[in-house]
Amino acid sequence: MEGAFIVNNYILKSAAVAIFSAALYSCGGGTASQLSTARQAMSKAEQTKATLAFQKDKEKVAKAQGDIDNLYKTAYATLQNEVMLGSSSANIAEAWYLLGKASKEVGNMDSMAVAFKQADKLFPADDKLGKQARSEMTGYMFEGWANGFNKGVEAYNAAVGTEDEKARKPKFEEAVRLLSNAAAMKPENTDIYPIIGAAQQGAGDTLGGVATYEKYIGFAQPGIDALSQRSAILNMTREEALEKLGKPASSKGLAPQPGDSLILDKYSFDGKDLWVFYPRNKEGKFTLDGFKSNIPASWAPFEQERFVSYDNRMNMYVAYPYYTQKNYDKALQFIDNGLKLKPADEELANFQSQIYTESGRLEQAMAKLKDLVAKYPDNKNYLAQYGTMLSNANKFDEAIGIFEKTLQLDPKFENAIGNLAGVYKNKAATIQKTEQDAFDKAEAARKKDKKVPEYKIDNTKYFPFLKKSAEYYEQYRKLPGKDRDVGVLEQLLNIYDVVEDKENYRRAAGEFVALEYANDKNPRFYEALSRIYGKQKNSAKVKESLDKADALRKAGAK
């Protein structure tokens, strides 16, 4: 589990939208002189802006822009004085609203966020101006969020691309500041939190990063529960999801970018709205990839419908620190949460088994999964989890039976194929060790007494299981995108070497060597390559491979 927190480059995508709305000014008076001055200044600024589109003279445009800036600065200063009066002003909600607009125009986004939040609190629910203002404010806040998001991502990517460790930290800290300010404007826009958490960890604030990941999961939890309670999971096709979730209240096809497309389904479960997103994958299928729940009523339709992907890895990122603190209950809470929407996640399932084993609760966990398998015999994900736990408990024959049953349900289920290959290999390794131990014991006895019979290792006891393992590993490599998995090739090379299958060994070795182009930064690849050249008695290539592996490790590669 070392290196569970991975810093990635994030693709910068513009999330900003144009806000088109008329200026809203009431006719009533607050503190007449100050509020009236601000209204007049902002109204004149808006009118001057409108004339700029028709003005071609650069000097006049520059002068007009300067006038606009000064008018907004006047309004900004005046409104700051106005809101200081607090409740003594009859139009305090309007004053905060106008201050938010003026703050945006002078470039103070923090002030804008504070002012709009105050205005939202103070406008009465049935106030006509308040309703219009809220509609406009949500657009401005989203624009502020989007600008902060993009600037924060730029800072984050700059930090990731900086090699000097000392220089990286302040850049990560700047990214945290920009992204956190953006998040404060629109806290329910959750796709910003994984980036904030990664930036915090990059800056050395591990606890802060984990807390941010937990916040992300907390916002998503109502959606996680609503989907999992109905057996809907991530990457499920929309057709499969509709069978689980039922007919949506409404559906809409969206095209957020040229060439991309997705479907948005809206549901209402237990009185709460849930938006479910299905982007089109490479195979042309629409698959469940994201969702939104508990969206504020003030959000505009464009914001409600903006696509977000749910990052299930955050559960692992939170579980791991709790595991290192031996807080197993808390770690399992997040692992279980991650398995709700990705029950076939091998990493989560294996980590779950590891914690249950270390905490002395493996039998309890297996009993729980056994009940689930009995209750849902056609659920391949529960079967796969149960098989993994049985394997980790060295109950190989039972695990083999479970994985074979899983493959009867789905012959191309990669989790079951890969695990079945591993279980057969582990069973063979256990038998091989038993044979080797018997041989070593006999040899030790023969040194003391030559009359002790010689023990011959019986390869036939475990060779069939190794060959069965190889069959499943080869089957696994035929799955889409798995033919370049060097880890699986390493397993096959090891098996073919042990069972002395020279023909398949040569073929697998050739395929392994051919993958160097995609693994030239992987020291483990070169270490495995050295063993291949060692079998060929090519000492020069052995040295060359080990030197490359050593250089990569010294450079920090793992």
Side-chain angles (χ1 to χ4, degrees):
M1 292 307 303
E2 186 176 340
F5 302 108
I6 300 171
V7 174
N8 298 307
N9 270 44
Y10 282 82
I11 304 294
L12 182 62
K13 295 184 179 179
S14 176
V17 294
I19 307 298
F20 299 100
S21 57
L24 302 172
Y25 302 111
S26 74
C27 298
T31 305
S33 59
Q34 295 195 99
L35 192 53
S36 178
T37 298
R39 289 191 191 115
Q40 290 171 10
M42 293 182 74
S43 180
K44 189 173 182 179
E46 295 286 343
Q47 292 167 10
T48 308
K49 268 186 184 181
T51 65
L52 285 180
F54 306 100
Q55 183 59 259
K56 305 298 181 184
D57 188 313
K58 292 183 178 179
E59 288 186 10
K60 289 182 179 180
V61 168
K63 182 182 182 305
Q65 189 58 59
D67 291 342
I68 291 169
D69 292 343
N70 288 331
L71 286 166
Y72 278 124
K73 287 176 183 176
T74 297
Y76 177 72
T78 304
L79 289 163
Q80 282 185 313
N81 291 331
E82 176 71 7
V83 298
M84 289 294 290
L85 297 172
S87 59
S88 65
S89 170
N91 291 70
I92 187 63
E94 182 194 0
W96 277 110
Y97 159 64
L98 294 178
L99 177 58
K101 291 191 69 175
S103 299
K104 176 185 179 297
E105 296 297 337
V106 301
N108 190 338
M109 304 308 286
D110 291 345
S111 173
M112 181 194 80
V114 170
F116 280 160
K117 286 180 180 179
Q118 286 292 104
D120 186 53
K121 288 179 185 177
L122 294 168
F123 272 123
D126 58 349
D127 183 82
K128 184 177 179 181
L129 174 62
K131 288 179 181 179
Q132 296 178 66
R134 284 191 176 96
S135 176
E136 188 173 332
M137 286 189 296
T138 192
Y140 280 124
M141 290 286 269
F142 181 78
E143 187 178 7
W145 177 89
N147 289 334
F149 177 93
N150 287 340
K151 288 177 182 177
V153 168
E154 284 179 350
Y156 176 87
N157 286 343
V160 173
T162 302
E163 294 184 5
D164 185 341
E165 232 175 275
K166 288 184 179 179
R168 290 178 79 189
K169 185 177 179 181
K171 290 185 178 182
F172 275 126
E173 289 172 343
E174 174 65 3
V176 171
R177 185 187 70 79
L178 290 167
L179 291 165
S180 297
N181 288 345
M185 295 184 199
K186 285 283 182 177
E188 297 87 0
N189 272 339
T190 58
D191 43 335
I192 201 169
Y193 294 117
I195 316 173
I196 296 175
Q200 287 172 310
Q201 293 196 311
D205 183 9
T206 301
L207 292 177
V210 172
T212 300
Y213 295 145
E214 284 200 57
K215 189 174 185 179
Y216 173 82
I217 296 167
F219 273 117
Q221 199 62 53
I224 295 170
D225 293 339
L227 291 170
S228 63
Q229 285 167 10
R230 294 161 178 83
S231 301
I233 61 174
L234 292 172
N235 301 322
M236 176 180 275
T237 66
R238 183 169 179 263
E239 289 75 16
E240 292 172 320
L242 289 174
E243 290 180 9
K244 307 292 184 183
L245 299 174
K247 184 180 178 181
S250 63
S251 296
K252 189 172 184 178
L254 303 171
Q257 295 178 14
D260 290 346
S261 58
L262 63 90
I263 295 174
L264 167 61
D265 287 339
K266 183 179 177 181
Y267 289 91
S268 181
F269 294 128
D270 304 320
K272 296 178 181 177
D273 289 337
L274 178 71
W275 284 256
V276 186
F277 295 93
Y278 303 90
R280 190 197 301 271
N281 65 16
K282 293 178 181 178
E283 287 76 41
K285 295 180 179 180
F286 291 95
T287 57
L288 201 164
D289 190 65
F291 52 89
K292 290 180 181 177
S293 55
N294 288 347
I295 294 177
S298 61
W299 276 18
F302 76 84
E303 194 171 3
Q304 295 175 358
E305 296 170 0
R306 187 179 67 87
F307 168 67
V308 294
S309 176
Y310 175 65
D311 193 342
N312 199 58
R313 297 175 303 168
M314 297 301 110
N315 286 286
M316 174 67 86
Y317 292 177
V318 174
Y320 186 72
Y322 283 120
Y323 162 74
T324 60
Q325 298 164 17
K326 297 192 182 302
N327 189 341
Y328 297 130
D329 289 335
K330 201 73 175 174
L332 287 169
Q333 174 189 326
F334 285 98
I335 292 172
D336 289 342
N337 203 51
L339 288 168
K340 284 181 179 179
L341 293 187
K342 289 196 81 173
D345 189 303
E346 190 174 343
E347 186 179 18
L348 281 169
N350 287 335
F351 192 25
Q352 182 190 57
S353 296
Q354 179 182 339
I355 294 176
Y356 276 128
T357 302
E358 288 187 23
S359 60
R361 290 180 281 183
L362 185 58
E363 291 295 332
Q364 173 189 340
M366 285 194 294
K368 177 183 174 182
L369 269 170
K370 187 176 181 180
D371 289 342
L372 285 171
V373 166
K375 189 175 181 181
Y376 305 102
D378 294 333
N379 188 311
K380 65 180 183 181
N381 297 306
Y382 287 143
L383 283 165
Q385 286 182 51
Y386 186 41
T388 298
M389 281 197 178
L390 289 168
S391 176
N392 289 340
N394 295 329
K395 297 182 178 183
F396 301 125
D397 290 333
E398 292 178 63
I400 288 169
I402 290 295
F403 285 125
E404 286 178 342
K405 183 178 179 181
T406 309
L407 288 179
Q408 289 173 10
L409 296 171
D410 182 357
K412 294 185 178 180
F413 188 26
E414 66 179 61
N415 179 292
I417 297 170
N419 273 303
L420 198 47
V423 174
Y424 271 115
K425 190 168 187 284
N426 289 340
K427 180 175 180 177
T430 301
I431 298 170
Q432 183 190 39
K433 186 178 183 304
T434 301
E435 287 293 295
Q436 187 64 50
D437 288 346
F439 175 82
D440 292 342
K441 185 177 179 181
E443 286 300 295
R446 279 171 56 78
K447 285 182 181 179
K448 297 177 181 178
D449 183 356
K450 294 295 182 182
K451 293 180 181 179
V452 173
E454 183 180 352
Y455 187 89
K456 291 185 179 180
I457 292 177
D458 186 357
N459 293 336
T460 63
K461 288 184 177 180
Y462 62 91
F463 270 24
F465 300 115
L466 284 177
K467 291 176 180 178
K468 198 72 176 174
S469 174
E471 287 177 21
Y472 281 109
Y473 276 129
E474 293 286 10
Q475 187 178 334
Y476 184 85
R477 293 193 68 227
K478 291 177 183 176
L479 296 172
K482 302 301 181 183
D483 57 324
R484 289 173 292 177
D485 190 322
V486 293
V488 171
L489 268 175
E490 277 190 78
Q491 296 289 346
L492 283 167
L493 286 167
N494 178 231
I495 292 171
Y496 292 141
D497 185 26
V498 172
V499 301
E500 298 179 342
D501 185 342
K502 294 179 181 179
E503 182 180 346
N504 275 320
Y505 183 90
R506 279 194 297 269
R507 174 185 56 80
E511 293 176 10
F512 191 91
V513 172
L515 291 173
E516 182 175 4
Y517 76 95
N519 293 276
D520 59 350
K521 298 291 187 288
N522 182 356
R524 286 187 67 248
F525 174 84
Y526 286 106
E527 288 162 355
L529 196 58
S530 72
R531 291 191 287 273
I532 292 174
Y533 288 131
K535 287 278 293 179
Q536 297 172 357
K537 295 183 170 47
N538 189 335
S539 57
K541 283 288 188 179
V542 170
K543 184 179 184 306
E544 180 185 329
S545 299
L546 290 175
D547 286 346
K548 285 182 179 179
D550 187 49
L552 286 169
R553 291 206 183 276
K554 285 180 179 177
K558 294 181 180 179

